Each structure stands twice: as C-alpha cells, then as structure tokens.
Amino acid sequence: EAGVAQSPRYKIIEKRQSVAFWCNPISGHATLYWYQQILGQGPKLLIQFQNNGVVDDSQLPKDRFSAERLKGVDSTLKIQPAKLEDSAVYLCASSLSSSGSSAFFGQGTRLTVV
Amino acid sequence: KQEVTQIPAALSVPEGENLVLNCSFTDSAIYNLQWFRQDPGKGLTSLLLIQSSQREQTSGRLNASLDKSSGRSTLYIAASQPGDSATYLCALRPLYNFNKFYFGSGTKLNVKP
C-alpha cells in the first residue's frame, strides 16, 4: 500500500515570498489533515478535510494560509506571504474516515524562511 | 481544553535497557490514543492505537497502556536497541471531537550502543 506522498521535501524561501505544498493521501482515505510542526514541538493542526469539505480550520492563519482539496483527493497548502515564524515542517496525514481510525503521515515538507 | 504532556523531553539509556515513556492528559473523555515514532527529518510512523475501551496494546517489543482515570498512557519498550532512537509522540482524540488529534511535544530517546 502506497503511503502519503508529499512534495517538495525541502523548501527555502525569503520572507514575503509565496510557497505551496502538495499532498497525495492514501487511496480511499476520506480524511486529510495538514499539520505544522515547529522544531521541538508536537504537530499543530492547521486544517482538516473530510472528502473535499473543511471540517476544522480554526487554527489556520487565514490571512496568509490557504488550503484546498480538489475532488476529495490531493490537497495543496499555500502560504502567501511567508513570515520567518512559518519556518517549520508541514505534515500531511490521512485516515480512512473521521471516526477515529488510525492516521498515516507523510514525510513532511521542511520549510525555511530567511 | 485538552492538554497533553510528555515528560521527560529527552531520555538517554544504554542498549538493552527496558524503558517507559510517559504521556499525561487533562481530560479523561478520550476516544482513542495513538503513539507515534518520528525519525529526524521524517514524518510520523504509527506504533500503537489504543481505543478508549482498551487498557493496553502490544506490538513486538512495544506495549502501550491507557489509564483514563489517572489521565496517563505509557509506552514500554523492552530490550532497547540503538535503532529505537527517535522522538516518540503521543496523540489523543477527545470524545467531544474525535476528528481532532491533540499531540504532546514528544520524548526524544537516544539508545547508546
């Protein structure tokens, strides 16, 4: 079974630039999560999709972050404009449903804003 | 609001030692709790998932327990190996919103050869 795929693996940008991350979840997984993990901390949920609808985006900084999930499969997360404090690993995860089944994580995208 | 704490933040042990990692939470109304492993620069790998109705789960040298009344979960690693070196994270889903994970900040384990 293929895992959760994310790209790119690494990205370095200057502050105020834009960046986009891509995630392809495990086939058939209806729930997709984007997390932000700052060094030394646990992951923090940014947004959760159920199919192509948003379930929870309460911690997404909507003035600069946006996300979409086209056709309930792949998802993109965008930051525009980036700030220094956005430097983190962005993790995508998926699960079969939202009813508490195990979540599977991608390898993440490490973003450095300089 | 649910808070998840993992202490210690870092742990160093000699190879072969049995060890326990701790995870505590403030609200016992949980749906399930999951232990993950994270290697440097990598994503999270699920180790064990304990449903609210269960007391423990085992996989190989790993055993996770859950005690909702005391707000604690432990991950027991038997006969530790250098390959076990990684950061271990616990995450739980509350009953009132089992869509959402609450993560601890992790315990960074170093097993010395």
Side-chain angles (χ1 to χ4, degrees), chain A residues 53-105:
Chain A
V54 175
V55 173
D56 185 346
D57 63 356
S58 56
Q59 296 195 83
L60 186 74
K62 297 180 185 64
D63 57 334
R64 297 184 302 105
F65 286 65
S66 64
E68 60 180 4
R69 189 178 185 195
L70 299 174
K71 300 179 182 178
V73 182
D74 293 3
S75 177
T76 56
L77 176 70
K78 297 178 182 177
I79 308 175
Q80 179 180 11
K83 293 185 176 182
L84 295 176
E85 58 262 35
D86 298 332
S87 295
V89 175
Y90 290 84
L91 295 164
C92 179
S94 69
S95 65
L96 198 56
S97 72
S98 61
S99 59
S101 52
S102 186
F104 297 86
F105 283 76

Side-chain angles (χ1 to χ4, degrees), chain B residues 11-22 60-63 74-82 84 88 109-112:
Chain B
L11 182 63
S12 185
V13 301
E15 181 177 4
E17 191 164 297
N18 301 325
L19 60 100
V20 174
L21 305 180
N22 296 299
R61 294 184 294 108
L62 306 179
N63 175 276
T74 61
L75 180 66
Y76 174 82
I77 303 177
S80 59
Q81 303 169 359
D84 295 330
Y88 291 82
L109 174 65
N110 178 36
V111 181
K112 297 172 290 185

